[in-house]
mmCIF file of all heavy atoms in Angstrom:
data_model
loop_
_atom_site.group_PDB
_atom_site.id
_atom_site.type_symbol
_atom_site.label_atom_id
_atom_site.label_comp_id
_atom_site.label_asym_id
_atom_site.label_seq_id
_atom_site.Cartn_x
_atom_site.Cartn_y
_atom_site.Cartn_z
ATOM 1 N N VAL A 571 -32.499 -6.543 13.377
ATOM 2 C CA VAL A 571 -33.162 -5.569 14.251
ATOM 3 C C VAL A 571 -34.680 -5.693 14.115
ATOM 4 O O VAL A 571 -35.422 -5.647 15.106
ATOM 5 C CB VAL A 571 -32.689 -4.141 13.922
ATOM 6 C CG1 VAL A 571 -33.511 -3.110 14.688
ATOM 7 C CG2 VAL A 571 -31.215 -3.972 14.259
ATOM 8 N N GLN A 572 -35.142 -5.847 12.872
ATOM 9 C CA GLN A 572 -36.580 -6.042 12.660
ATOM 10 C C GLN A 572 -37.068 -7.312 13.358
ATOM 11 O O GLN A 572 -38.152 -7.335 13.942
ATOM 12 C CB GLN A 572 -36.877 -6.136 11.159
ATOM 13 C CG GLN A 572 -36.686 -4.849 10.393
ATOM 14 C CD GLN A 572 -36.935 -5.045 8.904
ATOM 15 O OE1 GLN A 572 -36.880 -6.159 8.373
ATOM 16 N NE2 GLN A 572 -37.214 -3.951 8.209
ATOM 17 N N ARG A 573 -36.248 -8.342 13.283
ATOM 18 C CA ARG A 573 -36.619 -9.620 13.905
ATOM 19 C C ARG A 573 -36.755 -9.467 15.420
ATOM 20 O O ARG A 573 -37.640 -10.066 16.035
ATOM 21 C CB ARG A 573 -35.562 -10.673 13.574
ATOM 22 C CG ARG A 573 -35.868 -12.067 14.072
ATOM 23 C CD ARG A 573 -34.849 -13.062 13.519
ATOM 24 N NE ARG A 573 -35.084 -14.402 14.036
ATOM 25 C CZ ARG A 573 -34.568 -14.881 15.149
ATOM 26 N NH1 ARG A 573 -33.753 -14.102 15.885
ATOM 27 N NH2 ARG A 573 -34.830 -16.101 15.559
ATOM 28 N N HIS A 574 -35.876 -8.661 16.022
ATOM 29 C CA HIS A 574 -35.987 -8.409 17.462
ATOM 30 C C HIS A 574 -37.353 -7.801 17.796
ATOM 31 O O HIS A 574 -37.926 -8.090 18.850
ATOM 32 C CB HIS A 574 -34.896 -7.447 17.931
ATOM 33 C CG HIS A 574 -33.502 -7.990 17.788
ATOM 34 N ND1 HIS A 574 -33.215 -9.323 17.812
ATOM 35 C CD2 HIS A 574 -32.309 -7.354 17.614
ATOM 36 C CE1 HIS A 574 -31.920 -9.506 17.664
ATOM 37 N NE2 HIS A 574 -31.344 -8.334 17.544
ATOM 38 N N LYS A 575 -37.833 -6.955 16.897
ATOM 39 C CA LYS A 575 -39.094 -6.255 17.142
ATOM 40 C C LYS A 575 -40.305 -7.099 16.737
ATOM 41 O O LYS A 575 -41.450 -6.696 16.975
ATOM 42 C CB LYS A 575 -39.118 -4.939 16.360
ATOM 43 C CG LYS A 575 -38.054 -3.941 16.791
ATOM 44 C CD LYS A 575 -38.114 -2.679 15.949
ATOM 45 C CE LYS A 575 -37.064 -1.669 16.379
ATOM 46 N NZ LYS A 575 -37.092 -0.442 15.550
ATOM 47 N N GLY A 576 -40.056 -8.233 16.084
ATOM 48 C CA GLY A 576 -41.152 -9.108 15.684
ATOM 49 C C GLY A 576 -41.826 -8.709 14.402
ATOM 50 O O GLY A 576 -42.930 -9.178 14.101
ATOM 51 N N ASN A 577 -41.202 -7.830 13.612
ATOM 52 C CA ASN A 577 -41.809 -7.410 12.343
ATOM 53 C C ASN A 577 -40.807 -7.532 11.195
ATOM 54 O O ASN A 577 -40.714 -6.664 10.339
ATOM 55 C CB ASN A 577 -42.344 -5.980 12.434
ATOM 56 C CG ASN A 577 -41.240 -4.973 12.704
ATOM 57 O OD1 ASN A 577 -40.124 -5.348 13.072
ATOM 58 N ND2 ASN A 577 -41.533 -3.689 12.519
ATOM 59 N N GLN A 578 -40.050 -8.637 11.193
ATOM 60 C CA GLN A 578 -39.026 -8.804 10.170
ATOM 61 C C GLN A 578 -39.643 -8.912 8.780
ATOM 62 O O GLN A 578 -40.681 -9.540 8.590
ATOM 63 C CB GLN A 578 -38.154 -10.024 10.459
ATOM 64 C CG GLN A 578 -38.875 -11.360 10.404
ATOM 65 C CD GLN A 578 -39.360 -11.795 11.767
ATOM 66 O OE1 GLN A 578 -39.691 -10.947 12.597
ATOM 67 N NE2 GLN A 578 -39.404 -13.099 11.988
ATOM 68 N N ASN A 579 -38.967 -8.286 7.821
ATOM 69 C CA ASN A 579 -39.392 -8.328 6.431
ATOM 70 C C ASN A 579 -38.447 -9.251 5.678
ATOM 71 O O ASN A 579 -37.267 -8.931 5.524
ATOM 72 C CB ASN A 579 -39.363 -6.918 5.838
ATOM 73 C CG ASN A 579 -39.871 -6.878 4.411
ATOM 74 O OD1 ASN A 579 -40.037 -7.912 3.765
ATOM 75 N ND2 ASN A 579 -40.128 -5.680 3.910
ATOM 76 N N PRO A 580 -38.917 -10.390 5.189
ATOM 77 C CA PRO A 580 -38.017 -11.327 4.505
ATOM 78 C C PRO A 580 -37.358 -10.730 3.273
ATOM 79 O O PRO A 580 -36.298 -11.184 2.859
ATOM 80 C CB PRO A 580 -38.936 -12.502 4.150
ATOM 81 C CG PRO A 580 -40.331 -11.959 4.204
ATOM 82 C CD PRO A 580 -40.303 -10.892 5.242
ATOM 83 N N LEU A 581 -37.979 -9.705 2.694
ATOM 84 C CA LEU A 581 -37.392 -9.078 1.506
ATOM 85 C C LEU A 581 -36.084 -8.358 1.836
ATOM 86 O O LEU A 581 -35.193 -8.265 0.996
ATOM 87 C CB LEU A 581 -38.385 -8.102 0.874
ATOM 88 C CG LEU A 581 -39.643 -8.725 0.265
ATOM 89 C CD1 LEU A 581 -40.558 -7.647 -0.304
ATOM 90 C CD2 LEU A 581 -39.269 -9.730 -0.825
ATOM 91 N N VAL A 582 -35.978 -7.850 3.072
ATOM 92 C CA VAL A 582 -34.747 -7.176 3.487
ATOM 93 C C VAL A 582 -33.607 -8.178 3.552
ATOM 94 O O VAL A 582 -32.504 -7.937 3.035
ATOM 95 C CB VAL A 582 -34.939 -6.478 4.850
ATOM 96 C CG1 VAL A 582 -33.608 -5.911 5.354
ATOM 97 C CG2 VAL A 582 -35.968 -5.361 4.738
ATOM 98 N N LEU A 583 -33.853 -9.312 4.191
ATOM 99 C CA LEU A 583 -32.836 -10.361 4.257
ATOM 100 C C LEU A 583 -32.516 -10.880 2.858
ATOM 101 O O LEU A 583 -31.345 -11.090 2.518
ATOM 102 C CB LEU A 583 -33.315 -11.505 5.144
ATOM 103 C CG LEU A 583 -32.373 -12.701 5.281
ATOM 104 C CD1 LEU A 583 -31.047 -12.277 5.893
ATOM 105 C CD2 LEU A 583 -33.017 -13.804 6.114
ATOM 106 N N ALA A 584 -33.547 -11.071 2.045
ATOM 107 C CA ALA A 584 -33.331 -11.560 0.683
ATOM 108 C C ALA A 584 -32.471 -10.585 -0.111
ATOM 109 O O ALA A 584 -31.589 -10.998 -0.877
ATOM 110 C CB ALA A 584 -34.673 -11.774 -0.013
ATOM 111 N N ALA A 585 -32.711 -9.290 0.077
ATOM 112 C CA ALA A 585 -31.925 -8.289 -0.646
ATOM 113 C C ALA A 585 -30.458 -8.368 -0.256
ATOM 114 O O ALA A 585 -29.568 -8.270 -1.114
ATOM 115 C CB ALA A 585 -32.471 -6.885 -0.356
ATOM 116 N N GLY A 586 -30.185 -8.556 1.039
ATOM 117 C CA GLY A 586 -28.805 -8.694 1.481
ATOM 118 C C GLY A 586 -28.139 -9.915 0.888
ATOM 119 O O GLY A 586 -26.991 -9.857 0.428
ATOM 120 N N LEU A 587 -28.856 -11.044 0.850
ATOM 121 C CA LEU A 587 -28.297 -12.275 0.294
ATOM 122 C C LEU A 587 -28.102 -12.159 -1.219
ATOM 123 O O LEU A 587 -27.133 -12.685 -1.772
ATOM 124 C CB LEU A 587 -29.203 -13.456 0.627
ATOM 125 C CG LEU A 587 -29.354 -13.759 2.127
ATOM 126 C CD1 LEU A 587 -30.325 -14.917 2.352
ATOM 127 C CD2 LEU A 587 -27.994 -14.067 2.749
ATOM 128 N N VAL A 588 -29.021 -11.456 -1.882
ATOM 129 C CA VAL A 588 -28.881 -11.237 -3.334
ATOM 130 C C VAL A 588 -27.631 -10.414 -3.624
ATOM 131 O O VAL A 588 -26.891 -10.695 -4.575
ATOM 132 C CB VAL A 588 -30.142 -10.549 -3.900
ATOM 133 C CG1 VAL A 588 -29.873 -10.020 -5.325
ATOM 134 C CG2 VAL A 588 -31.309 -11.527 -3.927
ATOM 135 N N LEU A 589 -27.371 -9.396 -2.802
ATOM 136 C CA LEU A 589 -26.164 -8.587 -3.002
ATOM 137 C C LEU A 589 -24.902 -9.433 -2.829
ATOM 138 O O LEU A 589 -23.924 -9.257 -3.559
ATOM 139 C CB LEU A 589 -26.150 -7.408 -2.024
ATOM 140 C CG LEU A 589 -27.117 -6.265 -2.324
ATOM 141 C CD1 LEU A 589 -26.966 -5.153 -1.288
ATOM 142 C CD2 LEU A 589 -26.885 -5.698 -3.717
ATOM 143 N N LEU A 590 -24.926 -10.348 -1.864
ATOM 144 C CA LEU A 590 -23.778 -11.242 -1.697
ATOM 145 C C LEU A 590 -23.611 -12.141 -2.925
ATOM 146 O O LEU A 590 -22.487 -12.390 -3.377
ATOM 147 C CB LEU A 590 -23.961 -12.099 -0.441
ATOM 148 C CG LEU A 590 -23.683 -11.427 0.900
ATOM 149 C CD1 LEU A 590 -23.945 -12.401 2.042
ATOM 150 C CD2 LEU A 590 -22.244 -10.925 0.979
ATOM 151 N N ALA A 591 -24.735 -12.622 -3.449
ATOM 152 C CA ALA A 591 -24.674 -13.462 -4.647
ATOM 153 C C ALA A 591 -24.131 -12.678 -5.838
ATOM 154 O O ALA A 591 -23.322 -13.189 -6.627
ATOM 155 C CB ALA A 591 -26.062 -14.026 -4.956
ATOM 156 N N ILE A 592 -24.564 -11.427 -5.964
ATOM 157 C CA ILE A 592 -24.057 -10.577 -7.052
ATOM 158 C C ILE A 592 -22.562 -10.364 -6.891
ATOM 159 O O ILE A 592 -21.805 -10.391 -7.878
ATOM 160 C CB ILE A 592 -24.809 -9.226 -7.060
ATOM 161 C CG1 ILE A 592 -26.267 -9.434 -7.474
ATOM 162 C CG2 ILE A 592 -24.118 -8.232 -8.007
ATOM 163 C CD1 ILE A 592 -27.129 -8.193 -7.351
ATOM 164 N N THR A 593 -22.120 -10.146 -5.650
ATOM 165 C CA THR A 593 -20.687 -9.973 -5.385
ATOM 166 C C THR A 593 -19.911 -11.196 -5.844
ATOM 167 O O THR A 593 -18.853 -11.078 -6.482
ATOM 168 C CB THR A 593 -20.441 -9.739 -3.883
ATOM 169 O OG1 THR A 593 -21.245 -8.656 -3.435
ATOM 170 C CG2 THR A 593 -18.973 -9.422 -3.621
#
Side-chain angles (χ1 to χ4, degrees):
V571 172
Q572 291 177 339
R573 184 172 177 271
H574 296 333
K575 296 178 179 179
N577 62 346
Q578 65 266 31
N579 183 347
L581 293 179
V582 174
L583 178 61
L587 297 178
V588 167
L589 286 181
L590 282 179
I592 292 173
T593 306

